[in-house]
Amino acid sequence: MNESHNNTPEADSAQDFAVTIRNMHKWYGQFHVLKNINLNVVRGEKIVICGPSGSGKSTMIRCINRLEEHQQGDIIVDGTELSNDLRNIEVVRREVGMVFQHFNLFPHLTVLENCTLAPIWVRKAPRAEAEETAMQYLERVKIPDQAHKFPGQLSGGQQQRVAIARSLCMRPRIMLFDEPTSALDPEMIKEVLEVMVELAQEGRTMLCVTHEMGFAKTVADRVIFMDEGEIIEENSPEQFFASPKHERTKLFLSQILEH
Amino acid sequence: MQQETYKPGEHPDLPPPSNTIGPMAWIRENLLSSPTNIVMTALSAWFLYEIIPPTLEWVFLDAAFTGENRDECRAKAAGACWAFISERFNLFTYGFYPHESRWRVDLSFLLLLIALVAVLWDRAPFRKQGLYFACAYPFIAGWLLLGGYGLEPVETDKFGGFMLTLVVGVTGIAFSLPIGILLALGRQSDLLAIRLFSVGFIEFIRGVPLITLLFVASTMLNYFLPRGTTFDLLLRVLIMVTLFSSAYMAEVIRGGLQAIPKGQYEAADAMGLKYWTSMRLIVLPQVLKISIPGIVNTFIGLYKDTTLVIIIGLLDPLGIGRSSLADTKWTGLSNEVYLFVAIFFFISCFGMARYSLYLERKLETEHKR
């Protein structure tokens, strides 16, 4: 464990979990976005979160690395409780990788520089070592030949694979995916999903907000359905798709699976 | 022309039709594309014909380059009397800087050139050493110009002419950018005290004309300072000019900060980068790049505003020119003087503008496929 390991009893009981969220609430001003979220993610578990737009699913996973602040309840990530303590936030962000809908690559840096930035400046890795690691991961996402180009010269699918490689370079224990394929052209979705399926086979904890139900069926250990800021239903993918319990889940599934 | 036919899926890439490329196509498209365009082209050609030959004649062909005074000039030629400028050239360049020490000004010009090459040209030989040198340059130049430590001291009231313009302009440019960046970041700070200070400073400075600030610098500051302290006038001017343009710079940078997508900050945060690291490596490089036109605009404004120091009795080239016109030997030659000063400022400012365009193109990484 790391140096800022939290020794409160709550944190101890959360140690077996990669992520623990307890009675968590969040408001945007008056608007209650997340209502009493409870979620335990076992180490190595792959979780797919789906739900209609505006249901709070992105907000929830963004709370896990504190891109969004929660106002009530506890979030414990890898044994570290997220509070206003900046050191804890730093520890969590070092261990949690994130892939965004719009890639958010740094346009003024080459692909390789995008990948080595955090290892060099956050992990204090020597440049040569960081570059070697970066090339390894770029190979894993099958674009080592683009290493010296700028993000703007790549297609959307390639950019998203770079973004995945960039997160992996920090060797995170937990990966968050926030609608990684939603901004992509249809013919590029597959190449990104293939990379994600490969990653899923490696034992890293993954939380993925996505509407790719095929992906959910292949890799998810658990599917979570959210609506209007609440977790409505959670189940194994087989159960979730075959026999959804809640009316809203049925409606949502019928809408996205129709065509 | 006969239309070739190809099977579906086998159509090759063909060159564009010959009447859409080449100089004739360019002329047709840009000069003669419509009746209005043809009229405008004709009017412009006539205008240039009326303006350029007489100007060239006045400036070069019919000009006198030697002579002791105005009358000798006039006797030789009807055009410009450049003898006046060449007689006063040293005054225009060095102001009242002591003759025997003018090599120090020349040397600091030369060193400035070396420092500029290192800063502006990223493939300059010995660039790394050059950049260190550029950081040390203000101190070296200060020592050379002011003297002391082995050199004959020179009071700043002897400074004048182009040298004064460069001292004020370069100092203002070098310091207003970093101060402006800090103010812009301060304006966005989460800490109320820092935010209030930045907003207050920017709005106060922007709300007051530079001339007023220079007057405050030259006269009123004495009331606030303890009796008997002397505070060099040129130094006060430098501080005021720098603060004035750093307030404008801050607003230019703020515009750039707001144009950076939120996702860039989020990606940097999600990686665990600290505030200053992500500012330095992620945000500011992008902000400075998109703010280049505004930054250079502020630089050019500052550079030209250095002529305002005449108000508080410092003689920049314009001031030297005006006082030279009072010489009875050379009365009435204001065209020559102002054109000369204008050319100097134009070269400096146009140079900055062109460099900024070059820089913008060089840093364009986003859309080059």
Side-chain angles (χ1 to χ4, degrees), chain A residues 5-65:
Chain A
H5 168 63
N6 207 324
N7 270 323
T8 55
E10 300 93 77
D12 271 344
S13 67
Q15 253 193 50
D16 301 330
F17 296 115
V19 179
T20 299
I21 301 178
R22 264 194 306 253
N23 307 328
M24 189 262 277
H25 293 260
K26 172 169 179 61
W27 289 264
Y28 284 131
Q30 289 292 313
F31 177 53
H32 201 167
V33 238
L34 293 175
K35 300 166 186 161
N36 199 30
I37 303 289
N38 283 286
L39 178 67
N40 286 320
V41 182
V42 181
R43 285 183 201 290
E45 201 178 3
K46 325 286 175 235
I47 291 188
V48 163
I49 302 150
C50 58
S53 67
S55 58
K57 51 199 190 312
S58 285
T59 311
M60 185 184 80
I61 72 160
R62 287 157 60 87
C63 284
I64 295 172
N65 64 352

Side-chain angles (χ1 to χ4, degrees), chain A residues 62 65 67 90 93 96 100 104-108 117-118 121-122 150 152-154 166 170, chain B residues 262-264 266-274 277 280-282 285-286 365-366 368-369:
Chain A
R62 287 157 60 87
N65 64 352
L67 286 184
E90 273 172 34
R93 285 178 175 169
V96 178
F100 299 86
N104 298 354
L105 293 174
F106 305 129
H108 61 302
L117 189 98
W121 291 95
V122 180
F150 287 99
Q153 296 166 275
L154 306 186
R166 178 175 74 173
M170 284 290 279
Chain B
K262 211 168 141 240
Q264 295 288 309
E266 287 179 349
D269 283 348
M271 288 179 164
L273 290 177
K274 291 198 171 72
T277 319
R280 190 161 58 85
L281 298 173
I282 313 267
Q286 297 185 58
T365 59
E366 242 142 298
K368 68 172 189 203
R369 279 211 174 230

Side-chain angles (χ1 to χ4, degrees), chain A residues 59-86:
Chain A
T59 311
M60 185 184 80
I61 72 160
R62 287 157 60 87
C63 284
I64 295 172
N65 64 352
R66 195 74 170 189
L67 286 184
E68 304 281 353
E69 202 174 314
H70 61 285
Q71 277 99 29
Q72 232 178 65
D74 309 310
I75 301 177
I76 298 152
V77 181
D78 210 17
T80 308
E81 179 165 5
L82 280 174
S83 59
N84 284 325
D85 190 334
L86 288 177

Side-chain angles (χ1 to χ4, degrees), chain B residues 178-367:
Chain B
I179 297 175
I181 290 173
L182 290 179
L183 284 170
L185 293 177
R187 196 167 182 158
Q188 297 199 323
S189 170
D190 292 333
L191 303 170
L192 185 66
I194 293 181
R195 194 166 63 238
L196 281 181
F197 171 79
S198 305
V199 173
F201 180 88
I202 292 168
E203 297 303 343
F204 172 74
I205 296 279
R206 282 205 303 170
V208 178
L210 178 57
I211 294 186
T212 316
L213 290 176
L214 289 176
F215 272 129
V216 170
S218 75
T219 57
M220 271 177 64
L221 224 50
N222 284 342
Y223 294 104
F224 302 125
L225 292 171
R227 195 174 281 276
T229 45
T230 51
F231 195 61
D232 189 80
L233 180 61
L234 180 64
L235 183 59
R236 295 185 223 171
V237 168
L238 288 178
I239 291 173
M240 282 305 181
V241 168
T242 304
L243 293 183
F244 184 77
S245 53
S246 60
Y248 283 87
M249 195 61 79
E251 289 298 285
V252 170
I253 303 286
R254 184 166 71 98
L257 282 168
Q258 283 170 353
I260 301 297
K262 211 168 141 240
Q264 295 288 309
Y265 296 90
E266 287 179 349
D269 283 348
M271 288 179 164
L273 290 177
K274 291 198 171 72
Y275 176 79
W276 285 109
T277 319
S278 71
M279 282 299 147
R280 190 161 58 85
L281 298 173
I282 313 267
V283 178
L284 286 177
Q286 297 185 58
V287 167
L288 293 180
K289 192 187 95 186
I290 57 174
S291 308
I292 287 172
I295 292 173
V296 174
N297 201 24
T298 311
F299 282 167
I300 289 175
L302 176 154
Y303 193 76
K304 292 194 294 185
D305 278 351
T306 58
T307 51
L308 289 174
V309 297
I310 196 175
I311 302 278
I312 55 165
L314 293 176
L315 290 182
D316 79 310
L318 208 54
I320 301 267
R322 280 168 56 126
S323 63
S324 299
L325 286 174
D327 186 339
T328 47
K329 259 182 13 173
W330 301 101
T331 46
L333 295 176
S334 51
N335 285 344
E336 284 84 344
V337 167
Y338 291 129
L339 186 66
F340 175 62
V341 174
I343 287 170
F344 166 73
F345 275 99
F346 181 78
I347 289 173
S348 319
C349 297
F350 188 66
M352 284 192 247
R354 297 309 298 184
Y355 181 76
S356 88
L357 281 180
Y358 154 78
L359 204 58
E360 274 173 60
R361 273 199 298 271
K362 198 185 79 171
L363 296 178
E364 185 56 62
T365 59
E366 242 142 298
H367 307 289

